[in-house]
Amino acid sequence: MDSQNVLSVLARKLRADTLLSREDQEAVFALPIRRQTLEDGVDIAREGERPGRACILLTAYAFSHKTTSDGRRQVLAFHVPGEMPDVQSLNLKVMDETLTTLATGEVAFIDHGDLRAVCHRHPSLADAFWRETLIEGAIQREWTLNVGQREGASRVAHLLCEWFVRVGAVGLATNGGCRFPVTQNELANAVGFTPVHVNRMLQELRGAGLIRLAGGRLEILDWPALSTLADFDPRYLHLDPDETLGA
Amino acid sequence: MDSQNVLSVLARKLRADTLLSREDQEAVFALPIRRQTLEDGVDIAREGERPGRACILLTAYAFSHKTTSDGRRQVLAFHVPGEMPDVQSLNLKVMDETLTTLATGEVAFIDHGDLRAVCHRHPSLADAFWRETLIEGAIQREWTLNVGQREGASRVAHLLCEWFVRVGAVGLATNGGCRFPVTQNELANAVGFTPVHVNRMLQELRGAGLIRLAGGRLEILDWPALSTLADFDPRYLHLDPDETLGA
DNA sequence: CGTTTGGTTGAAATGTGTCAAACTTTGTGG
DNA sequence: CCACAAAGTTTGACACATTTCAACCAAACG
C-alpha cells in the first residue's frame, strides 16, 4: 500500500470525490505522512499536551475521554478508520481530552506545519477539515442527548446504532455485522452507566433478538427494531453530502 | 450605539485584540448586519432548517437544544452575549439542533454570503471562527462528562460555575453576581435531572451557603467551595489566549 | 495449564423520578 | 394600584432505575 492509497481513507472521509476539486484531492494525497502501528491502549495525545502533529486512523480504532477529579471516566467519542480524531489541535493548541487507541492498528501522522501549509494553499481543504470538526461536534451533541435523556437499553442501543452506521460509512461493515473492539467497561464509560448495568442492558437487547455481541464483533439481527428502540435518526451524522452542503 | 460598537462584542469574543491583525478587526467591524430585538422563547433557527444567515448575540442570551422522539428535551449549550451560536451553519448546512432565546434582548444577523466573503479575504478570520466552533466543541465535551459522570449537587454546581465564568469573560459579571435568566425547568433539561430534583440540589447549594439564586440573578457566595464541589477546572473553556494559541 | 482480563449473576442499598398539591412570584388588565 | 391569572418554585410520599458489592464464570493468552 503506497502513500496515496493510505490517504485514500482520509479522502473518503472528507468526501473528496463529491466535495473537493481534483487539485485539492491531489494535495491531500501529497501530504507527507509517517505511518506507525500502535497497540491497543496507547495514548496518542493526552489532555494538557500541545501536539505538533495530527493523526489519521488507517486501520486503528480509537476513543477520546476525560476524567473527573475523583476518577470517573467519560468516553466522549469513538473514532473509526479514516478519521482525524485530533484535527482540532490545529486551532486549539492545548488538548482538553485524551486520545487512546482501542485496538492494535495502523495510524498516520501529519505535521501541523504541513497541514497549515496545505490549508493555506487550498482554502476549500481548510473548509473540509473545519467541516469534519463540526460533524464531530454534532455527534458530541447527540451523545449529550443520549446520556442525558435516554434510559436503559435504549441508551446502549443508540450507541451501537451509531457505531454500526459510522463503521459502515467507511466500508467496514459487512451484511449486518462489523468489528466492535470495545469492552463493556469502556461501553459503560461511554453511556454513563455501570459496567454491571451495561451488561444487563446488553442481555436485554440480546434476549429481544436485536443483536449478537461477542468476541469483538457486533451483529445486527433486527435493525428496524433496534433503531426504533434506540430512537436513532442518522441525520446528525451528516453523512449525506447534500444534507451537509446543499443550498 | 453605532454598527462598529455593536460588533465590538463579537471582536471581544474572537479575542481580536490579541489574535487578529488590525485589518482583520476592521473587516469584522465592516460586516453588514441587521439588528433585531427578540423576545424570550423565540426560535432563531430550528433543527432541520438551512439558515442563510448567522446570528450574533448582542444583549440576548440563548440556548440550543434537541429532543428525543418521546419528547424528552436536552439543553446542549447556553449562549451568552458576544457569541455566534450558529456559526457552524456556515459549513454544516442543516441544523441538527434548535436555537432559542432565553430572555428578551438584541441580536444581529449576518448573511452567510458576507461571512464567506470576509473569510475568503481574511483567512485568519476564518481561523478565528473555526476556533470559536472548536471551543464550543470543548464545552460540549465537558457537558457530556458532567451529565454522564457527576452526581447531584456537583452536577448542578458545575453548570453554575461555567455560566458565571463565561458571563464574566464578556464583562457581564459584577462582584460575585450575574444574570441568570434560566428557569429550573431549563436547568433540569441541561443537566439531565428532573425539575424537582434540580430544585432540591439548588437548596442543598443554598443551604451550604454557596450561592444565592433568585429573580433571574445568581450570586456566588463561596467560589472556592462551589468550584471544588463542582470539580470545576476552567481550562476547557480555552479563555487564555496563550492556552489556545501558544506554540 | 495457570493466570489475567473481561463477562455474568444476585441481593441489597440508594439516588433520582413520579405524581400531585400548595405556595410564591411575575406579569397584566381593569 | 389592586386583583387575578399565569408561570415558576417548593414540598412530601412513594416507586423505580441504577449502583454497589461480592462472588463466580468464561474466554483469551503466554
Side-chain angles (χ1 to χ4, degrees):
Chain A
M1 184 153 79
D2 66 11
S3 167
Q4 171 151 345
N5 284 331
V6 167
L7 285 176
S8 64
V9 295
L10 176 60
R12 175 171 197 164
K13 183 70 194 175
L14 297 174
R15 260 152 296 170
D17 49 337
T18 57
L19 303 180
L20 295 179
S21 72
R22 184 157 185 74
E23 295 80 40
D24 295 332
Q25 292 182 52
E26 275 160 9
V28 170
F29 290 135
L31 279 168
I33 62 167
R34 209 164 59 86
R35 292 169 67 175
Q36 196 170 340
T37 298
L38 298 179
E39 301 201 340
D40 95 291
V42 173
D43 289 347
I44 295 177
R46 292 203 187 85
E47 187 177 351
E49 286 181 358
R50 299 168 180 241
R53 59 185 191 178
C55 153
I56 298 167
L57 302 179
L58 299 175
T59 60
Y61 293 74
F63 68 110
S64 33
H65 51 103
K66 204 170 173 177
T67 70
T68 203
S69 69
D70 58 334
R72 304 195 50 163
R73 163 167 305 168
Q74 176 70 37
V75 172
L76 299 163
F78 287 122
H79 305 285
V80 305
E83 293 182 12
M84 287 183 71
D86 55 355
V87 223
Q88 43 168 118
S89 61
L90 204 60
N91 269 288
L92 258 196
K93 295 306 163 64
V94 178
M95 293 286 296
D96 55 65
E97 60 183 347
T98 296
L99 180 62
T100 305
T101 55
L102 259 181
T104 304
E106 220 181 1
V107 304
F109 291 105
I110 307 185
D111 280 337
H112 278 174
D114 294 325
L115 271 174
R116 251 185 279 279
V118 82
C119 283
H120 183 70
R121 271 181 284 112
H122 301 266
S124 53
L125 252 185
D127 286 347
F129 287 127
W130 185 358
R131 190 168 52 240
E132 281 314 301
T133 67
L134 291 174
I135 291 175
E136 273 182 41
I139 295 176
Q140 192 69 58
R141 286 192 284 274
E142 183 73 25
W143 276 50
T144 306
L145 173 64
N146 195 39
V147 171
Q149 303 298 336
R150 282 191 268 264
E151 337 191 279
S154 174
R155 191 137 123 207
V156 175
H158 192 280
L159 181 20
L160 298 181
C161 286
E162 179 184 310
W163 178 278
F164 182 65
V165 169
R166 286 173 60 196
V167 167
V170 287
L172 292 175
T174 48
N175 54 25
C178 63
R179 277 194 76 190
F180 191 72
V182 181
T183 68
Q184 290 186 10
N185 196 11
E186 283 153 352
L187 227 185
N189 290 336
V191 296
F193 282 154
T194 284
V196 174
H197 197 58
V198 162
N199 183 284
R200 294 197 244 257
M201 295 304 102
L202 286 176
Q203 295 188 51
E204 210 173 303
L205 295 177
R206 286 193 268 245
L210 304 182
I211 62 165
R212 195 174 314 159
L213 180 58
R217 272 198 72 78
L218 166 67
E219 310 280 347
I220 308 290
L221 301 180
D222 186 346
W223 176 256
L226 184 68
S227 56
T228 301
L229 172 71
D231 179 36
F232 180 74
D233 176 349
R235 268 176 297 185
Y236 73 93
L237 293 173
H238 298 271
L239 287 171
D240 181 355
D242 173 60
E243 286 283 310
T244 100
L245 270 192
Chain B
M1 186 153 76
D2 66 13
S3 167
Q4 171 152 346
N5 284 330
V6 167
L7 285 177
S8 64
V9 296
L10 176 60
R12 175 171 198 162
K13 183 73 194 171
L14 297 175
R15 260 152 297 169
D17 47 339
T18 56
L19 302 180
L20 295 179
S21 73
R22 185 160 184 73
E23 296 80 41
D24 294 332
Q25 292 182 52
E26 275 160 10
V28 171
F29 290 135
L31 279 169
I33 62 167
R34 210 165 58 85
R35 293 169 66 175
Q36 196 172 340
T37 297
L38 298 179
E39 301 201 342
D40 96 290
V42 173
D43 289 347
I44 295 176
R46 291 203 186 85
E47 187 178 350
E49 285 181 359
R50 300 170 179 239
R53 58 186 191 178
C55 153
I56 298 167
L57 302 178
L58 300 175
T59 60
Y61 292 75
F63 69 110
S64 33
H65 51 102
K66 204 169 172 176
T67 69
T68 202
S69 69
D70 57 335
R72 303 195 51 163
R73 163 167 304 169
Q74 176 70 36
V75 172
L76 298 163
F78 288 123
H79 305 285
V80 305
E83 292 181 15
M84 286 182 70
D86 55 356
V87 223
Q88 43 167 120
S89 60
L90 203 60
N91 269 289
L92 258 195
K93 295 307 163 62
V94 179
M95 294 287 294
D96 55 65
E97 59 183 346
T98 296
L99 179 63
T100 305
T101 55
L102 257 180
T104 304
E106 219 180 1
V107 303
F109 290 106
I110 307 185
D111 280 338
H112 278 175
D114 294 324
L115 272 175
R116 251 186 277 279
V118 83
C119 284
H120 182 70
R121 271 181 284 112
H122 302 266
S124 53
L125 253 184
D127 285 347
F129 287 127
W130 185 359
R131 189 169 51 240
E132 282 313 302
T133 65
L134 290 175
I135 292 177
E136 274 182 40
I139 297 176
Q140 192 70 58
R141 286 192 285 274
E142 183 73 24
W143 276 49
T144 307
L145 172 65
N146 196 39
V147 171
Q149 303 298 336
R150 282 190 267 264
E151 332 191 282
S154 174
R155 189 135 125 208
V156 176
H158 192 280
L159 181 19
L160 298 181
C161 286
E162 179 184 309
W163 178 278
F164 182 65
V165 170
R166 287 173 60 194
V167 167
V170 287
L172 293 175
T174 49
N175 54 26
C178 64
R179 276 193 78 190
F180 191 72
V182 180
T183 68
Q184 291 185 11
N185 196 9
E186 281 152 354
L187 228 186
N189 290 336
V191 296
F193 281 155
T194 283
V196 174
H197 197 59
V198 161
N199 184 282
R200 294 197 244 257
M201 295 304 102
L202 285 176
Q203 295 187 50
E204 210 174 303
L205 296 177
R206 285 193 269 244
L210 303 183
I211 62 165
R212 194 175 314 159
L213 181 58
R217 271 198 74 78
L218 167 67
E219 311 279 346
I220 308 289
L221 302 180
D222 186 346
W223 175 256
L226 184 67
S227 57
T228 300
L229 172 70
D231 179 36
F232 180 73
D233 176 350
R235 268 176 298 185
Y236 73 94
L237 293 173
H238 297 271
L239 288 171
D240 181 355
D242 172 61
E243 285 284 309
T244 99
L245 270 192

